[in-house]
Amino acid sequence: MTQISAAHTPAPQQANDSSKALYGGKSNRRVTVRDLIAAKERGEKWPMLTAYDAMTASVFDEAGVPVLLVGDSMGNCHLGYDTTVPVTLDEMTMLSAAVVRGTSRALVIGDLPFGSYQEGPVQALRSATRLVKEAGVGAVKLEGGERSLAQTELLVQSGIPVMSHLGLTPQSVNTMGYRVQGRGDEDAHRLVRDAKAAEAAGAFAVVLELVPAELAAEVTRSLHIPTVGIGAGAACDAQVLVYTDMMGLTPGKMPRFVKQYADLRAQMVSAARAFSEDVVGGTFPEESHTFH
Ligand code: KIV
């Protein structure tokens, strides 16, 4: 059973109907999970970026990025934690609300943080309800396939769209570490089973993180719902990157799957130094910045 019944799924579009495209299309209304499934039917790929505040979210909305994930990567990228594990539901709710306020078109997905859904479906529903009601997200994401099935089912039955996260699941860093998942027959079969279970439970999409490209391609072919790859090769229906990585804000060496599209950290350091030198040297403010 998929979450979107045939009766509610828009008729498949022609491949050349670019006005309906998720990226670069003409629609100004907010993107929905039904649009993502329709895009897979059209064979259209789409981008997703993380965002953690209203200003950055508004930039990505202006750029036309159709889906924004308020990822629990905010732990490492925004809140100064070492991992995603300490992120709380209060933090997630506050930053998700900011991202929703900063956007008018993107579908905003809020991550369920570690400890906010593992106890069982009722806890998951309580946590997801906060993200939907208080923050206004259009969907939530949780980690795990078969191990989170009951949670996914109850959320979907309750009207909350769910994105599953498989492969490397950073909330399990203490047991799993950070390494490619799904290598070897047994692990690969488990990942395919997890993906099919997530789809059967009603998930509208599956994130595949750090998975061999061939396996991600097989999962993508075998599902009706879209796969969103991060370090999972080019065959996935969509691709996601953590925005601080692709914008060059994250310090240090980037993982191999990151492509850096800007060098914002160097630009910001240089701008902050220029401002500081102007202040110390007395060349800012100038007459044009001054009121009399
Ligand atoms: O938290 C996050 O940013 C994520 C993406 C890497 C998919 O889960």
Side-chain angles (χ1 to χ4, degrees):
M1 180 197 74
T2 56
Q3 175 217 346
I4 308 298
S5 71
H8 294 98
T9 305
Q13 305 295 324
Q14 297 299 311
N16 61 1
D17 185 358
S18 58
S19 67
K20 296 280 193 302
L22 283 173
Y23 175 75
K26 294 203 169 65
S27 169
N28 282 325
R29 67 166 172 77
R30 209 177 267 277
V31 174
T32 69
V33 298
R34 290 178 298 283
D35 296 322
L36 307 187
I37 293 175
K40 174 145 183 162
E41 288 167 3
R42 292 195 296 271
E44 178 193 325
K45 293 189 182 241
W46 45 273
M48 173 164 112
L49 282 176
T50 64
Y52 317 108
D53 66 88
M55 180 69 77
T56 312
S58 76
V59 171
F60 297 158
D61 210 40
E62 186 178 326
V65 179
V67 188
L68 295 182
L69 171 68
V70 191
D72 59 3
S73 51
M74 69 170 63
N76 322 49
C77 306
H78 206 72
L79 298 176
Y81 300 137
D82 285 340
T83 70
T84 64
V85 173
V87 173
T88 66
L89 187 59
D90 282 345
E91 288 164 340
M92 182 57 71
T93 306
M94 190 178 83
L95 300 194
S96 297
V99 169
V100 172
R101 286 194 294 271
T103 54
S104 59
R105 180 162 185 270
L107 169 67
V108 178
I109 302 174
D111 235 344
L112 285 177
F114 179 66
S116 73
Y117 63 97
Q118 282 87 352
E119 280 174 31
V122 173
Q123 190 204 21
L125 181 58
R126 203 179 303 123
S127 303
T129 301
R130 275 196 69 190
L131 289 182
V132 171
K133 289 184 77 145
E134 292 177 34
V137 301
V140 300
K141 176 167 84 56
L142 51 74
E143 294 187 1
E146 289 189 331
R147 70 180 148 100
S148 302
L149 269 200
Q151 285 89 333
T152 303
E153 268 167 1
L154 182 61
L155 296 191
V156 173
Q157 281 162 15
S158 306
I160 302 178
V162 174
M163 171 178 268
S164 292
H165 186 152
L166 304 177
L168 182 109
T169 47
Q171 291 176 10
S172 305
V173 60
N174 291 322
T175 49
M176 198 181 246
Y178 290 111
R179 60 184 176 84
V180 176
Q181 301 294 307
R183 282 199 167 133
D185 283 353
E186 197 182 318
D187 284 1
H189 287 139
R190 188 176 315 122
L191 195 123
V192 173
R193 266 203 321 274
D194 272 338
K196 289 191 170 165
E199 179 175 61
F204 71 86
V206 176
V207 168
L208 298 175
E209 179 163 358
L210 266 194
V211 169
E214 299 73 15
L215 178 58
E218 184 190 333
V219 173
T220 302
R221 276 193 305 273
S222 66
L223 298 184
H224 298 291
I225 57 173
T227 56
V228 185
I230 173 159
C236 294
D237 299 300
Q239 296 289 331
V240 58
L241 283 177
V242 169
Y243 99 83
T244 50
D245 295 347
M246 53 80 75
M247 291 293 183
L249 274 170
T250 313
K253 192 171 180 302
M254 282 301 95
R256 184 168 140 198
F257 60 79
V258 174
K259 178 170 175 185
Q260 200 180 311
Y261 287 83
D263 198 6
L264 293 193
R265 191 176 186 89
Q267 278 185 274
M268 289 177 76
V269 167
S270 149
R273 280 191 183 136
F275 166 69
S276 303
E277 280 158 23
D278 279 358
V279 171
V280 170
T283 53
F284 176 83
E286 296 162 32
E287 187 56 28
S288 62
H289 308 120
T290 305
F291 301 95
H292 294 289

